[in-house]
Amino acid sequence: MEETIAGPETAHIPKQRGDSLLEAAVRYAEERHWDVFPGTWLEAVDGMQHCSCGRSACPVPGAHPARDDWATQASGSAAVARRLWTMRPTASILLPTGRTFDAVDVPETAGFLALARMERMELTLGPVALTPDRRMQFFVLPGASAKVPHLVRNLGWSPSSLDLLTLGEGAYVAAPPTRYGSRGAVQWVCRPTPANRWLPDAEELISPLAYACGRER
């Protein structure tokens, strides 16, 4: 069963599993061997959801690191993940990039357009996430952040002219079912499965992604 989310072409988001944050964090570590770490969480104050960081204008409430040393806290151990989320079951699930994967981040509309082109090109995708702030993140092999600017230039684009970001070492992504305050939850467009355990190289996806971002300018 699927729910449909409108994009530039008909797009389908798989129905999301009803996992708790703890269950999802443990599964990411156990099944994908992804490092995970707990971020901030949402707190109800006078009927409103606020970020645990205490900032009234937090740009990503409940979905950013809770401590400066988050990189050292991240672990790929399912046992450690279970312990961390047992201590803080409402904490967001954050995944450091630059370790087992990088992420190519584009606007939602460009992402759906790129997905349609990738399907026609019969490209093999890794997991793809959609955030509540309307960004789509394509998981690729580590090292993408170093090569994507060169790849984009080879396609005839100036990297600074496209709304295409690469998240590598020192960055992170939020994983489903993490919520961004009242804006909604991160969702999988292409969920992690045994079929996409082996991630594509950014070079395989950059042409349709750059084309789609170019259409968005």
Side-chain angles (χ1 to χ4, degrees):
M1 183 176 179
E2 295 180 326
E3 58 178 295
T4 302
I5 293 183
E9 300 189 28
T10 302
H12 297 280
I13 302 292
K15 186 175 178 62
Q16 306 296 297
R17 292 171 59 162
D19 289 348
S20 68
L21 289 158
L22 185 153
E23 292 168 332
V26 169
R27 191 174 73 253
Y28 297 145
E30 192 169 58
E31 297 180 4
R32 300 296 296 208
H33 305 294
W34 287 341
D35 284 359
V36 298
F37 69 97
T40 52
W41 56 92
L42 296 172
E43 298 177 332
V45 179
D46 296 328
M48 301 289 290
Q49 295 286 336
H50 294 273
C51 185
S52 62
C53 73
R55 288 182 293 169
S56 58
C58 179
V60 281
H64 64 85
R67 17 191 301 185
D68 293 337
D69 63 345
W70 61 264
T72 63
Q73 187 187 20
S75 172
S77 163
V80 171
R82 185 174 298 280
R83 175 174 58 81
L84 290 172
W85 269 270
T86 297
M87 294 168 55
R88 178 60 67 182
T90 57
S92 53
I93 303 172
L94 304 180
L95 312 175
T97 51
R99 299 186 183 186
T100 51
F101 64 88
D102 281 2
V104 181
D105 179 290
V106 300
E108 173 188 346
T109 50
F112 279 124
L113 177 60
L115 280 172
R117 289 177 66 85
M118 290 173 188
E119 183 177 352
R120 291 194 295 271
M121 297 165 70
E122 299 184 346
L123 295 178
T124 301
L125 293 176
V128 181
L130 178 64
T131 71
D133 55 0
R134 305 181 72 84
R135 305 292 297 185
M136 199 174 287
Q137 297 165 337
F138 292 74
F139 287 30
V140 295
L141 288 172
S145 57
K147 64 174 68 173
V148 162
H150 176 68
L151 294 171
V152 169
R153 280 191 289 269
N154 282 351
L155 291 169
W157 299 97
S158 166
S160 61
S161 71
L162 300 181
D163 188 2
L164 185 154
L165 310 172
T166 311
L167 305 174
E169 187 175 359
Y172 62 88
V173 297
T178 297
R179 297 189 66 84
Y180 284 28
S182 61
R183 282 177 266 171
V186 183
Q187 300 183 72
W188 289 118
V189 179
C190 299
R191 67 173 66 255
T193 68
N196 62 23
R197 180 173 297 278
W198 304 107
L199 299 178
D201 190 282
E203 189 168 0
E204 301 171 55
L205 307 184
I206 199 64
S207 177
L209 285 171
Y211 169 81
C213 288
R215 286 278 301 270
E216 288 292 298
R217 294 193 309 166

